[in-house]
């Protein structure tokens, strides 16, 4: 297998022996359409296989509801203390031109907030 090397992200892409594509450290910029094209002796074989990668980004923002509580935040972890509240937000990145509601109804996506505490 080969991968295009004309993108900034090519160093985070790797091909497995079964021709699957792995993307390390996925970011919002990775969303979009990926095409798998089969070639044998410089001749294109079969139709292209096109895959859309949708990226769901969830962020946590602590907000103070008590001045005596403490909270620390970093890019990967947020501590929540009693008397504090937190706001969870998510954004779906997709190049299909569909809104999140359209993707839920047409593609069967299901987005749920789950309390695993």
């Amino acid at each position: 297998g080969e991968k295009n090397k004309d993108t900034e992200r090519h160093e985070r892409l790797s091909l497995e022996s079964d021709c699957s594509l792995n993307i390390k450290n996925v970011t919002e910029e990775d969303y979009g359409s990926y095409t798998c094209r089969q070639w044998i002796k410089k001749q294109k074989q079969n139709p292209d296989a096109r895959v859309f990668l949708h990226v769901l980004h969830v962020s946590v923002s602590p907000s103070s509801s008590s001045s005596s509580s403490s909270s620390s935040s970093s890019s990967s972890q947020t501590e929540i203390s009693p008397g504090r509240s937190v706001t969870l937000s998510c954004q779906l990145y997709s190049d299909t031109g569909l809104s999140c509601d359209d993707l839920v109804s047409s593609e069967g996506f299901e987005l749920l907030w789950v309390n695993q505490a």
Side-chain angles (χ1 to χ4, degrees):
E2 295 179 8
K3 61 182 179 177
N4 284 348
K5 294 188 169 93
D6 58 353
T7 65
E8 290 181 18
R9 72 186 100 172
H10 84 272
E11 292 177 356
R12 296 186 293 112
L13 304 177
S14 62
L15 292 170
E16 300 300 314
S17 60
D18 65 355
C19 293
S20 62
L21 177 66
N22 288 333
I23 306 173
K24 295 178 186 171
N25 303 318
V26 173
T27 67
E28 293 91 345
E29 291 82 29
D30 292 321
Y31 82 91
S33 174
Y34 290 78
T35 302
C36 180
R37 190 168 287 159
Q38 183 182 14
W39 298 85
I40 297 176
K41 296 182 181 179
K42 298 187 180 184
Q43 290 199 357
K44 186 175 178 275
Q45 305 291 313
N46 303 320
D48 291 346
R50 195 167 175 204
V51 176
F52 291 96
L53 175 65
H54 309 280
V55 177
L56 182 65
H57 175 78
V58 179
S59 60
V60 179
S61 302
S63 57
S64 175
S65 62
S66 170
S67 59
S68 63
S69 298
S70 65
S71 173
S72 65
S73 176
S74 70
S75 61
S76 63
Q77 186 174 358
T78 300
E79 290 183 22
I80 307 301
S81 304
R84 290 267 177 167
S85 63
V86 66
T87 300
L88 302 175
S89 60
C90 70
Q91 187 167 4
L92 182 65
Y93 294 86
S94 172
D95 75 341
T96 59
L98 299 174
S99 70
C100 190
D101 289 340
D102 292 337
L103 282 168
V104 168
S105 62
S106 69
E107 301 285 333
F109 281 32
E110 186 174 10
L111 300 177
L112 301 171
W113 290 108
V114 178
N115 182 352
Q116 296 185 6

